[in-house]
Amino acid sequence: MLEQALLLLPFGAAAELLTRLAPLLEAAAPAELMTRCVLFLLNVHHKQLTASSGMVALLHRIDGALGGRRMRNVLEFADAEQLVRAPRSAVVVIS
């Protein structure tokens, strides 16, 4: 039932929900329901969330609040994906 309701949210509403959940997760021990919402929205809107640097920063905050284990692989993938999308002039190669 929860997943069906979250699936109906457009990306903008899902991003707003994640923005509102971040302080709640940081202030209190992560509740199972909030964690399930975050992970489900991340699965559904993965491409859009990881394409925005602001949303990636928010996901890093949420990752810290959740203890860092559940989302680490997803965030590492998002960081790598942004590096690939960066213009060639923005990438510095150190040898």
Side-chain angles (χ1 to χ4, degrees), residues 77-94:
F77 176 77
D79 288 342
E81 192 173 40
Q82 283 188 345
L83 181 62
V84 169
R85 287 188 198 158
R88 295 265 182 219
S89 60
V91 177
V92 177
V93 177
I94 301 173

Side-chain angles (χ1 to χ4, degrees), residues 16-31 33-35 38 58 61-62 65-66:
E16 180 66 28
L17 179 59
L18 287 172
T19 303
R20 293 178 184 267
L21 284 175
L24 295 173
L25 287 167
E26 291 171 340
L33 182 60
M34 288 190 290
T35 303
V38 167
L58 177 67
R61 280 182 51 204
I62 292 172
L66 293 177

Side-chain angles (χ1 to χ4, degrees), residues 26-95:
E26 291 171 340
E32 182 184 347
L33 182 60
M34 288 190 290
T35 303
R36 285 179 54 206
C37 288
V38 167
L39 294 176
F40 185 79
L41 290 173
L42 183 59
N43 285 332
V44 171
H45 297 288
H46 181 262
K47 271 194 162 188
Q48 297 95 333
L49 290 170
T50 57
S52 165
S53 61
M55 291 308 296
V56 170
L58 177 67
L59 292 175
H60 278 290
R61 280 182 51 204
I62 292 172
D63 180 44
L66 293 177
R69 294 196 178 116
R70 291 181 176 253
M71 293 175 50
R72 182 162 293 135
N73 290 339
V74 173
L75 294 175
E76 286 173 359
F77 176 77
D79 288 342
E81 192 173 40
Q82 283 188 345
L83 181 62
V84 169
R85 287 188 198 158
R88 295 265 182 219
S89 60
V91 177
V92 177
V93 177
I94 301 173
S95 35

Side-chain angles (χ1 to χ4, degrees), residues 1-21:
M1 193 72 147
L2 172 67
E3 288 82 8
Q4 291 172 347
L6 292 174
L7 196 56
L8 294 174
L9 289 178
F11 173 70
E16 180 66 28
L17 179 59
L18 287 172
T19 303
R20 293 178 184 267
L21 284 175

